[in-house]
Amino acid sequence: MAKQTSDFFVERLKAWGVTRIYGYSGDGINGVLGALQRAEAQGDGIEFIQVRHEEMAAFMASAHAKFTGELGVCLSTGGPGATHLITGMYDAKLDHVPLLAIAGQAESTVRGANYQQELNLDRLFADVCGYVQEVSAPAQLRHVTDRAIRIAIANRDVTAIVLPKDVQDEPYQDPPLQHGFTRSGPGYVRPQVVPPASAFAQAAEILDSGQKVAILIGAGARGAEAQVIEIADRLGAGVAKALLGKDVLADDLPFVTGAIGLLGTKPSSDMMAGCDTLLMIGTGFPWAEFLPKEGQARAVQIDIDPAMLGLRYPVECNLHGGAAETLDALLPLLQRKADRSWQEGIAHEVTKWWKTIEERAMAEANPVNPQRVVWEMSPRLPANAIVTSDSGSCANWYARDYRVKAGQRASLSGGLASMGAAVPYAIGAKFAHPDRPVVALVGDGAMQMNNMAELITVAKYWQRWADPRFIVCVFNNQDLNEVTWEQRVMEGNPRFPTTQDIPDVPYARFAELIGLQGIHVDTPDALGDAWDAALRADRPVVLEVKTDPDVAPFPPHLTLAQAKGFLSSMLKGDAGRGGVIKETVRQIAKEITG
């Protein structure tokens, strides 16, 4: 049988190093699925992971890119399958990781006929993709594939290839050497990007002249851990971490202040309020109100993406370059500061903060304090563990109570902050690193939205994994908790049960029904033993904890407006005000700032 266009496509994906595709079948992409089947039969296939929903496939591909640095690949049929992909595609785009989406399409002969499942997918994907192309002829597929993958990898962007059903099944022919055809090839080597030498003198002058230097790192600082530690030592600086950079530096380093922003720590907030110099490395941290006041600090920024330079704070010296190579060039120009009082003061505040976090985690709650769930997890995790978190109130405890160790990896949906990412992220991490334990921290809202179904994916595949440890920790408080607190604090409205109440689902029992292990915890003293049991289990575990929805995920410093909003919601008759006030009034009184 002559080679079909879909066979060439699979061969080309392999030539680019693609080893795994997350997806869901459908008739619009059957030609490619047939090619994957033929390649598998010949011992030269690409691993296909069947998900429960295409959105989860895109999240898994995004996680694959985050936890490996490689291209993530997801696949769907056309029509509704393709539209399902788009949330995960946006997740990858906003967090700057490379992803290729492959989507089927109605036959090219009926395009424009209002045919069943015929959508203009190139238009649909136009905003999320740095490159998207529908293939209309076999000879076009070669350069479309090469270009889509090269752009995704080089630009850390999202791209898409749309394949009509009939084109997939047509005989493949290489583009001939004649007018009207182009012949491309695979391959890409990422360059080292370093600013010109003239820029480093200015950066060194700014950093050397500062007496109180603050460093803010994001995911773009990954791979430059040693350089960041060295520059913090030279400058006597503290280092705050944007949420996507949480795992770049370990939290046991005395000058690391932890997360910054609404989910951040008091030492990070205080450092930014008191610094006279700011160095930002590989971060697009969005909340500018948590950075120094304009005119307070001189600033230097390093980023591989020039579009992110000077975006959040007026920066005096913008350095377009990779973090590691740029810091390597900058470090020899910097003097080690003799006065260590600024950094020593930061370290003292960090020590106090961890004690405060422990006290908060161990405080009584009804029934279990959600902060304690993560506090008890943190010291028990092996040094090679991977942790994912969903959006919602559990992200607060992930940001503050999870004390990252060197060698651990962690991530969540950052720029998009989408619900429903934690379990697919964990699955993507586990397939990428089957020998490492993986933990997903998930709210009950996200579990009900789409993550419970992906437990079936875990049940289908877990016996392939070299290390079976895979834990989904569910914070069961029967409340869409983050939004409840936003209603109270940001809007000054009482909790609205009509929108916020969610059913009480037996998550641990569901796990047992599908062959996984379930552990249910409703008393705080059982948490430690529950984590120990989950981490020694011989199969994936759903650890369900009944947590108190009235423990407030407040920012590191409450503004007067936020405090007024909270008190207003209580005065308007919040149904939970008794428990809420008991848990939070003392914290508010201590934390209000003007």
Side-chain angles (χ1 to χ4, degrees), residues 413-433:
S413 176
L416 191 61
S418 175
M419 284 180 67
V423 172
Y425 261 38
I427 294 170
K430 193 66 175 180
F431 275 108
H433 302 285

Side-chain angles (χ1 to χ4, degrees), residues 342-414:
W342 168 249
Q343 191 180 63
E344 289 168 357
I346 289 170
H348 177 70
E349 292 303 313
V350 168
T351 299
K352 285 172 54 181
W353 173 253
W354 282 116
K355 291 179 180 177
T356 298
I357 287 294
E358 182 177 16
E359 290 170 1
R360 291 183 183 178
M362 294 301 173
E364 291 185 8
N366 182 28
V368 179
N369 188 330
Q371 297 169 103
R372 185 167 176 176
V373 177
V374 181
W375 183 263
E376 295 279 5
M377 172 198 79
S378 193
R380 290 176 163 84
L381 291 181
N384 67 339
I386 301 173
V387 178
T388 69
S389 173
D390 219 274
S391 296
S393 60
C394 68
N396 289 271
W397 322 132
Y398 161 85
R400 294 183 188 145
D401 292 84
Y402 168 34
R403 200 164 185 171
V404 177
K405 301 181 181 118
Q408 292 178 346
R409 290 297 313 273
S411 196
L412 77 176
S413 176

Side-chain angles (χ1 to χ4, degrees), residues 476-548:
N476 183 356
N477 56 25
Q478 296 175 247
D479 181 44
L480 296 176
N481 197 236
E482 182 75 9
V483 175
T484 288
W485 281 101
E486 289 168 348
Q487 290 174 349
R488 287 166 170 160
V489 177
M490 303 301 182
E491 302 296 329
N493 292 326
R495 182 180 182 275
F496 187 27
T498 302
T499 65
Q500 301 311 104
D501 284 349
I502 60 175
D504 186 10
V505 173
Y507 305 100
R509 284 168 50 200
F510 177 78
E512 293 169 349
L513 285 173
I514 61 173
L516 308 180
Q517 183 173 337
I519 301 175
H520 184 272
V521 174
D522 57 11
T523 60
D525 291 341
L527 267 176
D529 289 343
W531 276 114
D532 290 336
L535 284 165
R536 63 172 178 261
D538 65 353
R539 66 191 58 215
V541 173
V542 172
L543 171 57
E544 177 189 354
V545 185
K546 289 291 288 185
T547 56
D548 189 343

Side-chain angles (χ1 to χ4, degrees), residues 136-178:
S136 58
Q140 183 188 6
L141 181 60
R142 176 168 152 182
H143 69 260
V144 166
T145 304
D146 292 341
R147 195 165 184 220
I149 295 177
R150 186 174 288 112
I151 289 172
I153 296 171
N155 295 347
R156 297 180 173 89
D157 206 350
V158 175
T159 60
I161 299 173
V162 181
L163 292 169
K165 292 167 64 174
D166 53 340
V167 175
Q168 296 173 47
D169 293 334
E170 288 183 23
Y172 178 72
Q173 290 184 330
D174 281 321
L177 182 58
Q178 66 185 61

Side-chain angles (χ1 to χ4, degrees), residues 5-229:
T5 299
S6 56
D7 293 311
F8 168 80
F9 183 56
V10 171
E11 290 173 5
R12 204 62 161 191
L13 293 175
K14 284 188 64 67
W16 274 98
V18 173
T19 59
R20 185 175 299 112
I21 297 172
Y22 297 95
Y24 202 78
S25 64
D27 68 325
I29 199 66
N30 270 343
V32 172
L33 298 179
L36 288 169
Q37 183 180 32
R38 290 188 289 275
E40 182 180 276
Q42 295 167 8
D44 198 28
I46 297 174
E47 185 179 27
F48 184 86
I49 305 302
Q50 180 203 69
V51 303
R52 305 308 105 203
H53 190 284
E54 293 91 348
E55 179 183 341
M56 303 292 97
F59 274 131
M60 291 177 201
S62 179
H64 178 92
K66 286 186 176 185
F67 290 119
T68 65
E70 302 168 352
L71 177 73
V73 183
C74 56
L75 174 148
S76 77
T77 187
T83 62
H84 288 163
L85 291 174
I86 202 160
T87 301
M89 293 169 69
Y90 270 110
D91 178 69
K93 183 177 187 66
L94 295 184
D95 287 351
H96 307 282
V97 295
L99 182 146
L100 171 67
I102 302 164
Q105 177 60 285
E107 290 87 342
S108 59
T109 51
V110 296
R111 292 289 282 116
N114 193 27
Y115 206 70
Q116 186 183 40
Q117 294 193 336
E118 180 203 1
L119 300 177
N120 292 315
L121 296 179
D122 52 349
R123 299 182 206 172
L124 174 74
F125 292 148
D127 183 64
V128 69
C129 286
Y131 176 83
V132 54
Q133 186 64 52
E134 181 172 322
V135 176
S136 58
Q140 183 188 6
L141 181 60
R142 176 168 152 182
H143 69 260
V144 166
T145 304
D146 292 341
R147 195 165 184 220
I149 295 177
R150 186 174 288 112
I151 289 172
I153 296 171
N155 295 347
R156 297 180 173 89
D157 206 350
V158 175
T159 60
I161 299 173
V162 181
L163 292 169
K165 292 167 64 174
D166 53 340
V167 175
Q168 296 173 47
D169 293 334
E170 288 183 23
Y172 178 72
Q173 290 184 330
D174 281 321
L177 182 58
Q178 66 185 61
H179 187 73
F181 293 90
T182 187
R183 293 167 295 137
S184 62
Y188 175 76
V189 177
R190 186 176 300 283
Q192 284 195 331
V193 181
V194 182
S198 58
F200 289 109
Q202 181 189 13
E205 184 277 323
I206 294 169
L207 297 172
D208 277 338
S209 63
Q211 301 303 308
K212 300 176 179 180
V213 182
I215 299 174
L216 173 60
I217 61 172
R222 185 167 291 109
E225 295 87 349
Q227 291 90 337
V228 173
I229 291 171

